[in-house]
């Protein structure tokens, strides 16, 4: 059985980060260990007055304990990290636990719609860039890619802009880069991949739905990381992750209650399993 450790926050209500990654990765038949980096009462989008408990100090302690048991991970998947020091702790964890056969999958979750999420200062992206530099695969959205690279954020762009961002993400050190939430025309949205070793691009698009729900980036990243860890090709894993994310969005749209804090991904899990 394959094993992933995911390192990101616990948002107690709101469906993102660990509360999305853990059920999806488990459903994909992969053991999922976790390192919670902070505990928030809700995620930071659409809620005010949320609590934030920083668990940075626990990261090296958990790591030291695990070293005694020689734990092996097929994939280290990092997501939202709430402070500069958490990034430093994660870099140390990687030194100790990334082996030759460990995939380092980095989702630099820190912003969307051209803005950083509440709580991040302007220096945070350059710190996150250090983690992206050591990744086997890095999966930002357009906002995150532009912040990491210090490039202009554009709401309307063409393939050349996206390809340039992808190449620059690999020049920063990542072996492969994927940008999610790419939309060249209003009716389609998807993800674009660049593999620096093969010098090859691949894109996969699905429908662009006129809604925004929290946690869709985490849904995409969890299924993509899961697919790669199961040994799927990068293209197949990317396709699965895009299709599943769209499936979750459609499922959420189908019921008219206000559910913008997260998607109804749970109801789509049987569809995910049927495609493995
Ligand atoms: O989905 C990304 C995410 C993860 N964790 C926290 C967040 C967000 C996005 O807003 O606030 C705490």
């Amino acid at each position: 059985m394959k094993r992933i450790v995911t390192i990101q926050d616990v948002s107690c209500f709101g469906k993102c980060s660990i509360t999305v990654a853990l059920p999806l990765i488990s459903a994909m038949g992969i053991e999922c260990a976790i390192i919670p980096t902070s505990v928030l009462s809700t995620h930071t989008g659409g809620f005010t007055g949320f609590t934030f408990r920083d668990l940075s100090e626990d990261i090296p302690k958990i790591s030291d304990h695990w070293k005694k048991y020689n734990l092996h991970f097929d994939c280290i998947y990092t997501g939202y990290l709430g402070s500069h020091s958490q990034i430093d702790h994660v870099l140390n964890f990687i030194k100790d636990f990334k082996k030759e056969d460990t995939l380092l999958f980095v989702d630099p979750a820190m912003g969307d719609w051209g803005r950083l999420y509440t709580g991040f200062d302007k220096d945070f992206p350059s710190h996150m860039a250090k983690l992206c530099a050591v990744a086997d695969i890095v999966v930002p959205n357009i906002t995150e890619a532009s912040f990491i690279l210090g490039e202009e954020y554009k709401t309307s762009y063409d393939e050349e802009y996206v390809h340039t961002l992808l190449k620059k993400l690999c020049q920063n050190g990542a072996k492969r880069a994927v940008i999610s939430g790419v939309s060249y025309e209003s009716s389609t949205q998807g993800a674009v991949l660049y593999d620096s070793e093969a010098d090859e691009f691949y894109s996969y698009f699905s429908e662009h739905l006129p809604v925004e729900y929290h946690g869709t980036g985490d849904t995409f990243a969890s299924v993509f990381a899961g697919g790669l860890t199961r040994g799927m090709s990068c293209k197949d894993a990317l396709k699965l992750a895009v299709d599943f994310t769209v499936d979750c969005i459609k499922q959420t749209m189908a019921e008219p209650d206000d559910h913008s804090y997260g998607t109804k991904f749970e109801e789509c899990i049987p569809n995910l399993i049927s495609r493995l």
Side-chain angles (χ1 to χ4, degrees), residues 33 41 49 60 81 89 176 181 192 206 209 229 239 251 271 276:
S41 49
L81 299 171
H89 286 311
R176 284 172 286 175
V192 188
S206 179
L209 300 158
T229 304
K239 244 175 120 190
Q251 183 68 26
N271 304 344
L276 298 176

Side-chain angles (χ1 to χ4, degrees), residues 9 11 16-17 40 42-45 80 109 117 214-215 218:
D9 69 284
S11 287
C16 66
S17 32
L40 295 87
T42 63
H43 58 62
T44 65
Y80 177 101
Y117 295 138
H214 276 90
D218 302 330

Side-chain angles (χ1 to χ4, degrees), residues 1-270:
M1 193 174 183
K2 298 284 187 182
R3 182 189 289 149
I4 292 181
V5 55
T6 188
I7 311 177
Q8 43 186 331
D9 69 284
V10 175
S11 287
C12 300
F13 184 85
K15 297 205 267 190
C16 66
S17 32
I18 283 182
T19 60
V20 168
L22 186 50
L24 291 181
I25 291 168
S26 301
M28 294 178 83
I30 301 165
E31 181 179 336
C32 187
I34 60 168
I35 299 187
T37 51
S38 42
V39 177
L40 295 87
S41 49
T42 63
H43 58 62
T44 65
F47 295 101
T48 53
F50 47 83
T51 67
F52 181 91
R53 180 170 299 275
D54 190 344
L55 299 179
S56 298
E57 282 175 26
D58 291 57
I59 302 172
K61 291 183 190 160
I62 292 169
S63 171
D64 286 345
H65 186 212
W66 285 2
K67 272 190 242 170
K68 294 190 186 129
Y69 290 90
N70 255 327
L71 298 186
H72 175 269
F73 299 102
D74 300 290
C75 173
I76 299 171
Y77 157 30
T78 72
Y80 177 101
L81 299 171
S83 68
H84 292 226
S85 75
Q86 289 183 3
I87 295 175
D88 295 334
H89 286 311
V90 168
L91 284 165
N92 286 332
F93 179 86
I94 289 163
K95 278 192 200 116
D96 289 329
F97 285 94
K98 180 170 165 39
K99 306 294 174 208
E100 241 170 52
D101 58 349
T102 304
L103 177 79
L104 178 55
F105 184 103
V106 174
D107 179 6
M110 60 184 167
D112 212 345
W113 308 294
R115 293 187 310 270
L116 292 177
Y117 295 138
T118 307
F120 290 124
D121 60 39
K122 64 175 179 17
D123 299 329
F124 189 78
S126 63
H127 223 66
M128 184 59 98
K130 293 186 206 159
L131 179 57
C132 295
V134 293
D136 292 308
I137 183 153
V138 59
V139 297
N141 57 32
I142 298 255
T143 299
E144 291 153 353
S146 62
F147 270 103
I148 289 162
L149 299 167
E151 294 284 329
E152 184 196 353
Y153 169 76
K154 294 185 183 176
T155 43
S156 103
Y157 45 78
D158 55 11
E159 192 180 68
E160 192 187 341
Y161 173 73
V162 172
H163 283 195
T164 304
L165 290 179
L166 286 165
K167 281 201 162 179
K168 287 190 175 173
L169 287 164
C170 289
Q171 280 158 10
N172 179 55
K175 290 197 187 74
R176 284 172 286 175
V178 166
I179 298 185
S180 61
V182 174
S183 183
Y184 297 131
E185 51 188 27
S186 57
S187 58
T188 60
Q189 188 170 45
V192 188
L193 159 80
Y194 178 61
D195 180 336
S196 66
E197 280 163 359
D199 189 24
E200 200 179 85
F201 290 98
Y202 172 74
S203 339
Y204 180 71
F205 291 95
S206 179
E207 287 166 73
H208 187 183
L209 300 158
V211 285
E212 278 165 5
Y213 298 127
H214 276 90
T216 49
D218 302 330
T219 304
F220 171 80
S222 302
V223 173
F224 191 24
L228 293 173
T229 304
R230 283 178 64 95
M232 290 172 81
S233 73
C234 209
K235 292 177 186 176
D236 287 347
L238 189 75
K239 244 175 120 190
L240 179 67
V242 169
D243 287 344
F244 182 70
T245 306
V246 172
D247 192 16
C248 293
I249 293 171
K250 281 188 172 165
Q251 183 68 26
T252 315
M253 287 170 78
E255 292 169 49
D257 54 334
D258 178 13
H259 213 276
S260 59
Y261 60 83
T263 72
K264 297 184 178 176
F265 72 86
E266 299 88 341
E267 293 171 341
C268 302
I269 286 176

